[in-house]
Amino acid sequence: MGFADRLHQRIRVTDSRVCLGIDPRPETSPLTDPAGLDHDRQRVADAVADAYEAVLRETHRYLACCKPQAAFFEALGLEGLSALARLMAVARELDLPIILDAKRGDIGSTAEAYARAYLTDGALAADALTVNPYPGLDTLEPFLQAAQAGERGVFVLVKTSNPGSADLQDLLVRGGLTVHEVLAERLAARAQDLPAGGSGYTALGAVVGATHPEALNALRRRLPRSVLLVPGVGAQGAGPEDVAGAFDAGGLGAVVNASRSLFDVEATSLEALASHAADAVQRLQRGINDALNARG
Amino acid sequence: MGFADRLHQRIRVTDSRVCLGIDPRPETSPLTDPAGLDHDRQRVADAVADAYEAVLRETHRYLACCKPQAAFFEALGLEGLSALARLMAVARELDLPIILDAKRGDIGSTAEAYARAYLTDGALAADALTVNPYPGLDTLEPFLQAAQAGERGVFVLVKTSNPGSADLQDLLVRGGLTVHEVLAERLAARAQDLPAGGSGYTALGAVVGATHPEALNALRRRLPRSVLLVPGVGAQGAGPEDVAGAFDAGGLGAVVNASRSLFDVEATSLEALASHAADAVQRLQRGINDALNARG
């Protein structure tokens, strides 16, 4: 079964459209002591993996998927990447789809190497990978081919959630579209040639920030065969009501990521942290579902 | 001393503008046997590190810098990243500046995490990092700040060497510039506010493919305070004569990367491989210098 179908099956079973962002910031984690541990990467990496393993085991029933952010693990060096491998193994054990947020992108055989790293097998293989399209549409092909071959997915950055996303993405191109709209049209054309499973969606997804509700609505229409991965809810300021436009008429076709806002607590134990995260995930789950129901 | 000055000091001492691309492709390496080793990542990673260590020790006298391509190490998993750390340690021992070609890019605190991973300290810390600007100019700031603080450098993707580079980078924006030209103008404005050392160049560099000689000329003028990193010579079809336009009137301000073309040999020993690479590096070194002299 292709990635989009697997993801939708899970959305139906859990009634959740929430993606748990795994962004281990040692400096803000309740389970590390920056003063004491900051210079011991192995201990920080172990603490991070312990914390998120507890959270995954407590929250997975309320999740559509999880999204480890590669940067925070890479910041902990080789020890951090081992912690990432450990958490990915936990997610696999829980049958929780993994979108690795690594925003890779490069040309030719280099893109093939990244696809081999994250969309085939091995300790860091994910169900889907985020990729950066700036090098060009040809550079997405190795990722799409690996995704097709392995029933995995690709999420192409289209419109990011940060203030500076307008700098290049919103430049107005001759013809009247913005750069990110031109990109979306090209991606939609490419998705026409990719098989869609029972869900109606292909392996070619898109990343669109929740902080731009209008773009979210427009891109939902422009990309009818692409699952949208929507970051920006919570700490970045968007709420569940901002993301309703990411979903199709049946309330499907998107997942909403939250990271920091789920861990906004001074927990003193793994149990307290995991329990708080489970409450926060369920609040977001209900918030999104309520916003979809209110849309009618 | 800032990165640009250190790089220029080395260019003067070695009289070389060559950047050695470290792109370990196990499937084409003369020292691995795909049939036998492909599934043993540790053995492939060790073979790759052995081969490139021998090459670095034989060629460093003729090099301005080296550029490990992260993708090929990531494709070998955690064992590959250990091999990357080992090769980076060798380059540091040889005083050879390291540009880590990882094309990272993300928003806010995630960009900070990538900057911490590769532009501070630790086994994978480089002298400079390639970054992808699609998320926006604000997302370059954490990299620039880390670079400034640590006397390191950043190379922003402006115009890549692949055929599809036109898809987004050459879209014509209202006003008559292309997307990559708009980006270059923004980068040039940013570089105005960054300190330039004795070389006249700042920590903010740019990646421009050798396969677009006209763009290379134009971007040299648009980015007077940015060192250009120029890939695409050799296997991708460009020759030394195509890159002369990347250099300023004094023959400085750029380094030219070659990877595959330096290893186009069926070597049966580390010594033969390293000796062949040293010859190929020196041919490219002379080719570039001759092209600059011919320019007058």
Side-chain angles (χ1 to χ4, degrees):
Chain A
M1 191 187 297
F3 171 73
D5 278 6
R6 274 193 290 133
L7 184 66
H8 277 93
Q9 193 173 60
R10 187 166 176 101
I11 291 173
R12 286 199 184 86
V13 168
T14 59
D15 193 31
S16 176
R17 291 146 183 89
V18 176
C19 176
L20 177 80
I22 303 181
D23 295 16
R25 295 172 168 80
E27 67 279 17
T28 59
S29 164
L31 293 179
T32 58
D33 166 17
L37 289 174
D38 207 25
H39 297 290
D40 185 337
R41 285 178 165 183
Q42 187 62 60
R43 288 175 66 191
V44 177
D46 287 345
V48 154
D50 288 346
Y52 275 96
E53 176 167 355
V55 167
L56 281 172
R57 293 194 184 281
E58 191 73 20
T59 59
H60 71 95
R61 293 183 299 281
Y62 318 116
L63 294 174
C65 55
C66 67
K67 181 176 78 64
Q69 170 51 257
F72 294 103
F73 294 97
E74 292 176 38
L76 294 172
L78 298 172
E79 296 85 353
L81 290 160
S82 293
L84 173 59
R86 181 182 143 194
L87 287 172
M88 290 173 79
V90 171
R92 278 184 219 113
E93 177 204 324
L94 297 170
D95 267 331
L96 186 64
I98 302 165
I99 303 172
L100 183 63
D101 195 359
K103 298 192 175 67
R104 295 302 194 259
D106 210 310
I107 70 173
S109 59
T110 309
E112 285 170 25
Y114 278 131
R116 201 157 60 238
Y118 302 113
L119 291 174
T120 55
D121 50 17
L124 297 177
D127 296 285
L129 180 71
T130 59
V131 301
N132 186 314
Y134 188 71
L137 276 286
D138 57 340
T139 67
L140 304 180
E141 287 304 314
F143 295 105
L144 287 172
Q145 281 164 28
Q148 288 293 119
E151 304 197 319
R152 299 170 198 260
V154 174
F155 288 91
V156 179
L157 286 192
V158 173
K159 177 69 181 155
T160 57
S161 55
N162 55 311
S165 71
D167 292 339
L168 298 181
Q169 299 160 35
D170 290 356
L171 285 176
L172 204 55
V173 176
R174 286 191 184 171
L177 296 182
T178 63
V179 167
H180 82 258
E181 289 166 342
V182 171
L183 171 62
E185 295 226 321
R186 297 286 303 265
L187 295 177
R190 182 66 186 89
Q192 280 297 335
D193 296 330
L194 294 173
S199 65
Y201 290 93
T202 66
L204 174 51
V207 180
V208 187
T211 47
H212 314 289
E214 285 181 26
L216 209 47
N217 273 290
L219 289 166
R220 173 68 290 156
R221 287 191 301 273
R222 277 188 199 279
L223 292 162
R225 290 163 71 88
S226 292
V227 178
L228 302 186
L229 168 61
V230 184
V233 162
Q236 289 182 58
E241 65 287 355
D242 294 312
V243 300
F247 295 88
D248 63 24
L252 295 170
V255 287
V256 176
N257 185 77
S259 307
R260 272 173 286 179
S261 58
L262 305 176
F263 299 97
D264 184 18
V265 61
E266 298 240 349
T268 53
S269 70
L270 288 179
E271 291 73 19
L273 176 75
S275 165
H276 173 88
D279 290 346
V281 164
Q282 288 177 84
R283 269 196 306 278
L284 180 57
Q285 175 189 13
R286 282 194 302 269
I288 296 165
N289 291 352
D290 288 350
L292 285 174
N293 288 331
R295 196 178 63 166
Chain B
M1 194 188 295
F3 170 74
D5 278 6
R6 273 192 291 135
L7 184 65
H8 277 94
Q9 193 173 59
R10 188 166 173 100
I11 291 173
R12 286 199 185 86
V13 168
T14 59
D15 193 29
S16 175
R17 291 144 184 89
V18 176
C19 176
L20 176 80
I22 302 180
D23 295 16
R25 296 172 166 79
E27 68 278 18
T28 59
S29 166
L31 293 180
T32 59
D33 166 17
L37 290 174
D38 207 24
H39 296 290
D40 186 336
R41 286 180 163 182
Q42 187 63 59
R43 288 176 65 192
V44 177
D46 287 346
V48 154
D50 288 346
Y52 275 96
E53 176 166 355
V55 168
L56 282 171
R57 292 194 184 282
E58 192 71 21
T59 59
H60 71 95
R61 293 183 300 279
Y62 318 116
L63 295 174
C65 55
C66 67
K67 180 176 79 62
Q69 170 51 258
F72 294 103
F73 294 95
E74 293 176 38
L76 294 172
L78 299 173
E79 296 85 353
L81 291 160
S82 293
L84 173 59
R86 180 182 143 194
L87 287 172
M88 289 173 81
V90 171
R92 277 183 219 113
E93 177 204 322
L94 298 169
D95 268 332
L96 186 64
I98 302 164
I99 302 173
L100 183 64
D101 195 359
K103 298 191 174 68
R104 296 302 194 258
D106 210 310
I107 70 173
S109 60
T110 309
E112 285 170 25
Y114 278 132
R116 201 157 57 237
Y118 302 113
L119 292 174
T120 55
D121 51 18
L124 298 176
D127 295 286
L129 180 71
T130 59
V131 301
N132 186 314
Y134 188 70
L137 276 286
D138 57 341
T139 67
L140 303 179
E141 288 303 315
F143 295 104
L144 287 172
Q145 279 163 30
Q148 288 293 119
E151 304 196 319
R152 299 172 197 258
V154 174
F155 287 92
V156 179
L157 285 192
V158 174
K159 176 70 180 155
T160 56
S161 56
N162 55 311
S165 71
D167 293 338
L168 298 181
Q169 298 160 35
D170 291 355
L171 285 176
L172 205 53
V173 176
R174 287 191 183 171
L177 296 183
T178 63
V179 167
H180 82 258
E181 288 166 342
V182 171
L183 171 62
E185 295 227 322
R186 296 287 302 267
L187 295 177
R190 182 68 186 89
Q192 280 297 336
D193 296 330
L194 294 173
S199 65
Y201 290 93
T202 66
L204 172 51
V207 180
V208 186
T211 48
H212 314 290
E214 285 182 25
L216 209 48
N217 273 289
L219 289 165
R220 173 68 291 156
R221 286 191 301 274
R222 278 189 201 280
L223 292 163
R225 290 162 69 89
S226 291
V227 176
L228 302 186
L229 168 60
V230 184
V233 163
Q236 290 182 59
E241 64 287 357
D242 294 311
V243 300
F247 294 88
D248 63 24
L252 297 170
V255 288
V256 175
N257 186 76
S259 306
R260 272 173 287 178
S261 58
L262 305 178
F263 300 96
D264 185 19
V265 62
E266 299 238 351
T268 52
S269 70
L270 288 179
E271 291 72 22
L273 176 74
S275 165
H276 173 88
D279 289 344
V281 165
Q282 288 175 85
R283 269 196 305 277
L284 180 57
Q285 175 190 12
R286 282 192 303 268
I288 295 166
N289 291 352
D290 289 349
L292 286 174
N293 289 331
R295 196 177 63 166

